[in-house]
Amino acid sequence: MTYPPATAESIIEGETPIFIRPPNTDDGWGIYELVKACPPLDVNSAYAYLLLATQFRDRCAVATDIEGEIVGFVSGYVKANSPDTYFLWQVAVGKKARGTGLSRRLVEAVLKRPHQADVRHLETTITPDNEASWGLFKRLAERWKAPLNSREYFSEEQLGGEHDPENLVRIGPFDPTQI
Ligand SMILES: CC(C)(COP(=O)(O)OP(=O)(O)OC[C@H]1O[C@@H](n2cnc3c(N)ncnc32)[C@H](O)[C@@H]1OP(=O)(O)O)[C@@H](O)C(=O)NCCC(=O)NCCS
């Protein structure tokens, strides 16, 4: 492998360097394995992750270690009826890579891409007791100097009674050139 990999759009230097890049066709299974290891995330099918890694690759990112193992992943899309809003579906960082700012960098890498220049808001859903997730999105709002609002979105009942409710979190407006 050439160093750094030609596809890397962001590099986190260190004893164990990490590379951030858009996903590709070969990443579906690695993403699936990572999400499986990151409760409380819902695990979608390997097929769904392959679709994200190909048809939504411009709006998603993976982080890999020097051996190419996927240690971080973020997925999302721009809402069809609100082209200034990026909906972040899932963000996951493997246990070994946590606490080093990787999830923040994954989200910011996607939002900094030139084709995301019209995006001024980020939305996501969070279950009430996911402290790490609340911490991450509060921190992002703080960094981007943008307000954060939340409200219940999908109730436990709507989710079949076996899933915590999901709150809709909206951050923005922010200036993507300042991220
Ligand atoms: C949530 C998750 C992605 C955070 O990944 P991470 O790379 O460790 O997060 P970062 O190091 O980028 O932290 C960014 C900010 O989030 C907050 N944060 C991260 N982990 C936290 C925790 N366990 N508790 C509270 N706040 C936390 C901190 O404010 C941190 O900013 P700071 O270090 O400047 O104070 C990771 O814990 C994970 O994959 N969890 C399981 C899956 C999940 O719940 N995903 C989110 C729902 S879609």
Side-chain angles (χ1 to χ4, degrees):
M1 181 178 81
T2 53
Y3 187 90
T7 50
E9 57 187 349
S10 174
I11 300 165
I12 305 168
E13 300 284 3
E15 219 173 286
T16 49
I18 303 284
F19 310 101
I20 295 178
R21 60 166 171 78
N24 62 50
T25 336
D26 296 325
D27 293 326
W29 190 256
I31 295 169
Y32 173 74
E33 290 288 339
L34 173 71
V35 173
K36 259 200 325 193
C38 289
L41 285 183
D42 287 338
V43 183
N44 299 298
S45 65
Y47 179 81
Y49 290 116
L50 254 181
L51 277 184
L52 288 168
T54 51
Q55 301 197 19
F56 292 84
R57 67 186 301 265
D58 289 350
R59 315 287 186 182
C60 300
V62 288
T64 62
D65 65 14
I66 191 96
E67 265 120 39
E69 187 185 338
I70 294 177
V71 296
F73 168 64
V74 62
S75 62
Y77 52 85
V78 168
K79 289 172 76 171
N81 55 357
S82 310
D84 69 347
T85 303
Y86 176 75
F87 183 83
L88 186 152
W89 183 0
Q90 286 189 316
V91 56
V93 166
K95 276 202 179 123
K96 277 191 281 181
R98 286 187 191 162
T100 61
L102 183 52
S103 67
R104 171 179 70 72
R105 287 172 200 252
L106 278 162
V107 177
E108 292 184 345
V110 171
L111 293 179
K112 278 200 272 201
R113 291 178 185 158
H115 57 262
Q116 295 265 110
D118 292 337
V119 169
R120 295 283 181 280
H121 300 268
L122 178 147
E123 286 183 0
T124 193
T125 68
I126 313 180
T127 53
D129 61 356
N130 190 336
E131 280 177 30
S133 199
W134 283 103
L136 166 63
F137 290 101
K138 283 180 183 163
R139 185 83 180 97
L140 290 175
E142 213 175 85
R143 278 177 58 83
W144 305 343
K145 299 180 179 52
L148 179 153
N149 293 292
S150 70
R151 64 177 168 88
E152 188 172 302
Y153 194 49
F154 297 139
S155 67
E156 203 173 333
E157 195 181 27
Q158 286 170 324
L159 287 159
E162 288 174 6
H163 190 298
D164 288 335
E166 293 274 357
N167 290 331
L168 182 71
V169 170
R170 182 172 165 88
I171 302 175
F174 53 79
D175 179 352
T177 64
Q178 300 302 310
I179 284 178

